[in-house]
Amino acid sequence: MELEGKTIIVTGASSGIGAAAASLFAEEGANVILGARRSAELESLAERIKGSGGNATWLAGDVRDQNYSEALVELALKEYGELDGAFNNAGIVGDMSPVPEMQIDNWHDVLGINLTAAFFAAKAQIPVFRKQGHGSIVFTSSFVGFSNGGMSGMGAYAASKAGLIGLAQSLATEHASEGIRVNALLPGGTVTPAGGEGNPDVLAYIADLHPMKRMASAAEIAQAALFLLSDRSSFMTGSPMIVDGGMSVRLA
Ligand SMILES: NC(=O)c1ccc[n+]([C@@H]2O[C@H](COP(=O)([O-])OP(=O)(O)OC[C@H]3O[C@@H](n4cnc5c(N)ncnc54)[C@H](O)[C@@H]3O)[C@@H](O)[C@H]2O)c1
């Protein structure tokens, strides 16, 4: 049990990587607080976790709303008395137009959901971690945000994911001496609704870009998130942890 008795917030828990991570964390003994926009999906995942003997509660909302980040933290404290970690994972790809054609609304949506929401999450979570003297934050970035990343049509997405690495590293430096660790997880192509699930041509195209010639499963990425949130990674902070089947090496 890697997370026995720990309370962990997971955003983007209604599908894909977040849902797989929430299930895994609960199996590993965590009390999970599920966040995303869709109530029905969160409720049914919480019921499944509880049906398997785990502890889960949920609150639907939009991560662009600062009050929502605060409400998730309050819920964790109310239900379980403390907060030990957060997998701030909600994200969107957005419109994949080249920048000259990209609408400003898309830029704001992608930056708002992928990056500004992480700022709100950290603002809500870090004061609790400070008081307790411990806490671990993981942001879901992407290989696209790494120094060898950047892909055509992904200007807003790549900017947001690179921004998350900078945010994680700044937070890591600010709070390392307070027992708070902050890392970024950089998945490669992963089979999820956002990753092309249900569209065999897209999946085959993305798989072929990877040296491993396949995409990750959400469960594989969840294992990396588990490692970063658990005490096994106790000397890691400010790390961009790449889990991408060799994709960023290929792009180097
Ligand atoms: N799938 C991939 O290939 C891949 C690769 C690298 C990084 N990522 C990142 O992984 C994370 C999870 O994506 P996924 O692939 O599991 O996709 P997904 O579409 O299955 O899940 C996205 C989750 O984010 C939530 N979400 C989106 N906008 C939200 C908002 N405004 N407020 C609250 N919740 C919101 C959705 O409800 C959903 O639960 C994202 O940050 C994504 O950028 C995915």
Side-chain angles (χ1 to χ4, degrees):
M1 291 287 207
E2 299 280 343
L3 298 175
E4 183 71 54
K6 292 186 192 279
T7 299
I8 311 280
I9 290 171
V10 180
T11 67
S14 63
S15 78
I17 293 169
S23 301
L24 178 64
F25 299 169
E27 275 167 34
E28 292 292 338
N31 310 311
V32 286
I33 314 292
L34 312 176
R37 284 170 302 187
R38 291 169 291 170
S39 305
E41 279 79 358
L42 293 178
E43 185 173 19
S44 85
L45 178 58
E47 290 311 313
R48 279 205 304 281
I49 289 172
K50 287 192 263 187
S52 312
N55 293 317
T57 187
W58 60 275
L59 180 68
D62 189 322
V63 292
R64 283 171 290 189
D65 176 1
Q66 186 167 4
N67 294 327
Y68 179 53
S69 291
E70 288 162 9
L72 287 170
V73 171
E74 281 161 22
L75 181 62
L77 297 178
K78 180 167 110 3
E79 292 287 322
Y80 303 111
E82 65 169 17
L83 178 67
D84 301 286
F87 184 33
N88 298 313
N89 162 77
I92 60 165
V93 177
D95 172 22
M96 291 181 61
S97 305
V99 168
E101 279 75 58
M102 189 181 286
Q103 300 297 311
I104 186 67
D105 287 353
N106 178 68
W107 176 268
H108 286 312
D109 281 349
V110 173
L111 272 289
I113 294 170
N114 293 0
L115 183 57
T116 310
F119 166 77
F120 291 149
K123 277 181 81 68
Q125 293 155 5
I126 284 179
V128 177
F129 294 156
R130 267 183 156 161
K131 216 178 283 175
Q132 298 171 168
H134 73 272
S136 174
I137 289 179
V138 178
F139 295 129
T140 307
S141 173
S142 165
F143 75 92
V144 174
F146 194 51
S147 55
N148 299 323
M151 289 183 89
S152 159
M154 300 208 106
Y157 185 77
S160 72
K161 294 300 184 182
L164 279 174
I165 299 171
L167 179 61
Q169 293 182 329
S170 297
L171 288 167
T173 313
E174 285 169 9
H175 302 290
S177 64
E178 297 172 305
I180 302 169
R181 301 188 296 111
V182 187
N183 292 289
L185 174 57
L186 281 58
T190 307
V191 181
T192 68
E197 195 171 37
N199 188 332
D201 291 343
V202 171
L203 293 178
Y205 172 77
I206 298 173
D208 193 52
L209 296 174
H210 292 71
M212 283 192 179
K213 298 297 172 196
R214 69 172 181 89
M215 294 174 72
S217 68
E220 286 177 298
I221 303 303
Q223 289 288 347
L226 170 64
F227 172 73
L228 288 175
L229 284 161
S230 79
D231 293 338
R232 283 189 189 257
S233 59
S234 53
F235 201 54
M236 278 179 75
T237 196
S239 288
M241 183 173 157
I242 304 167
V243 184
D244 72 351
M247 180 72 142
S248 46
V249 180
R250 187 190 69 86
L251 293 171

